[in-house]
Amino acid sequence: MIDLHYWTTPNGHKITIFLEEAGLAYRIHPVNIATGDQFKPDFLAIAPNNRIPAIVDHDPADGGGPLSLFESGAILIYLAEKTGTFLPADLRGRHETLQWLMWQMGGLGPMAGQNHHFSIYAPEKLPYAIDRYVKETGRLYAVLDKRLADRPFIAGDYSIADMASYPWIVPYERQSQDLETFPNLKRWFETVRDRPAVVRAYQRAKDINTEPTVNDAAKSVLFGQSADTVRR
Ligand SMILES: N[C@@H](CCC(=O)N[C@@H](CS)C(=O)NCC(=O)O)C(=O)O
């Protein structure tokens, strides 16, 4: 059994997609990041960065005690290795997939996240910041579009690289991106979107978070953090 500490955001969706695809038994523990659940001591004990997602595997392959992990990329690699799925075993295929997973973790996710922040949530609309992140998101979309020109998925067969990137393309309109101008990316997006496991993962999110709006109280929880938040 896997305990998934989760909220209904792109980094959370990555893990429900994997778990649904692999058919692993899991329990969701909602961590409402808009109301501050990410600062509860039980969550911080497994996720010291106060960010979702995190997992606890009660049946790790080494037969030892429960194994906990935070960081969505690390969780995807762990689950892929645990199940022997969605990450090729051969040297070249494995590293091609991990390379694109890292591209998402270090590039697409953080840049699209800053795009959301400055375009939608920031109290002041700063043209330089908005332009910077909209353009950088567009550049990353173009990289993915080019990559997908001659292959159906990001790295070989459908893999954890696709599962990591897809949830960050879902809010493309909020990122001021037009999928019509990225035809290969659009075709891939629709293929992943229509997978039954992906549909199930997004349905779970809807069942858990019926009001996914970020109000002023949530903004002060999410965007007022500093070193003091961690030291408290
Ligand atoms: N690099 C981390 C990022 C995780 C992350 O940023 N999670 C967000 C939701 S998508 C969160 O928990 N935010 C809570 C907060 O900002 O306090 C990962 O991929 O797991």
Side-chain angles (χ1 to χ4, degrees), residues 165-204:
S165 287
Y166 173 77
W168 283 99
I169 306 292
V170 171
Y172 64 88
E173 285 169 334
R174 301 173 80 204
Q175 297 164 14
S176 303
Q177 304 302 320
D178 178 4
L179 271 199
E180 298 303 324
T181 64
F182 302 103
N184 307 307
L185 179 59
K186 180 169 185 265
R187 186 247 315 134
W188 166 89
F189 176 79
E190 290 171 351
T191 302
V192 177
R193 179 196 64 195
D194 294 343
R195 291 179 68 89
V198 174
V199 173
R200 287 198 300 276
Y202 277 79
Q203 186 54 51
R204 294 218 64 173

Side-chain angles (χ1 to χ4, degrees), residues 4-26:
L4 171 61
H5 299 264
Y6 160 92
W7 196 238
T8 57
T9 68
N11 291 315
H13 297 315
K14 292 175 187 175
I15 312 304
T16 46
I17 290 174
F18 187 99
L19 292 165
E20 289 292 337
E21 292 282 6
L24 277 176
Y26 70 103

Side-chain angles (χ1 to χ4, degrees), residues 1-227:
M1 175 62 75
I2 306 274
D3 281 322
L4 171 61
H5 299 264
Y6 160 92
W7 196 238
T8 57
T9 68
N11 291 315
H13 297 315
K14 292 175 187 175
I15 312 304
T16 46
I17 290 174
F18 187 99
L19 292 165
E20 289 292 337
E21 292 282 6
L24 277 176
Y26 70 103
R27 276 187 298 243
I28 287 186
H29 300 265
V31 178
N32 187 340
I33 61 171
T35 57
D37 286 353
Q38 68 272 43
F39 302 111
K40 290 185 173 164
D42 286 358
F43 179 66
L44 288 175
I46 57 170
N49 194 37
N50 67 262
R51 299 281 189 271
I52 64 93
I55 62 163
V56 179
D57 182 0
H58 293 277
D59 185 24
D62 65 2
L67 187 155
S68 72
L69 279 175
F70 65 98
E71 280 295 326
S72 60
I75 295 168
L76 286 173
I77 295 168
Y78 175 80
L79 293 175
E81 288 179 343
K82 176 181 175 72
T83 56
T85 55
F86 305 115
L87 176 62
D90 68 287
L91 181 79
R92 285 162 202 268
R94 176 180 168 80
H95 287 281
E96 189 182 352
T97 304
L98 292 177
Q99 157 186 275
W100 283 96
L101 175 66
M102 297 305 153
W103 173 86
Q104 187 289 315
M105 292 295 296
L108 180 64
M111 294 301 127
Q114 295 303 321
N115 180 337
H116 293 170
H117 182 79
F118 287 106
S119 301
I120 298 165
Y121 302 124
E124 299 163 68
K125 296 292 167 235
L126 301 170
Y128 181 87
I130 294 170
D131 191 50
R132 156 80 183 139
Y133 290 112
V134 168
K135 281 198 329 214
E136 180 60 5
T137 306
R139 189 189 71 80
L140 292 161
Y141 273 47
V143 170
L144 209 44
D145 189 59
K146 201 181 252 189
R147 172 72 182 172
L148 290 163
D150 59 355
R151 68 197 79 222
F153 297 108
I154 295 174
D157 293 337
Y158 178 65
S159 73
I160 55 174
D162 301 289
M163 296 180 202
S165 287
Y166 173 77
W168 283 99
I169 306 292
V170 171
Y172 64 88
E173 285 169 334
R174 301 173 80 204
Q175 297 164 14
S176 303
Q177 304 302 320
D178 178 4
L179 271 199
E180 298 303 324
T181 64
F182 302 103
N184 307 307
L185 179 59
K186 180 169 185 265
R187 186 247 315 134
W188 166 89
F189 176 79
E190 290 171 351
T191 302
V192 177
R193 179 196 64 195
D194 294 343
R195 291 179 68 89
V198 174
V199 173
R200 287 198 300 276
Y202 277 79
Q203 186 54 51
R204 294 218 64 173
K206 281 195 191 132
D207 296 342
I208 286 168
N209 187 2
T210 50
E211 278 187 53
T213 46
V214 179
N215 58 25
D216 285 346
K219 282 181 191 168
S220 80
V221 172
L222 290 167
F223 308 136
Q225 298 175 26
S226 67

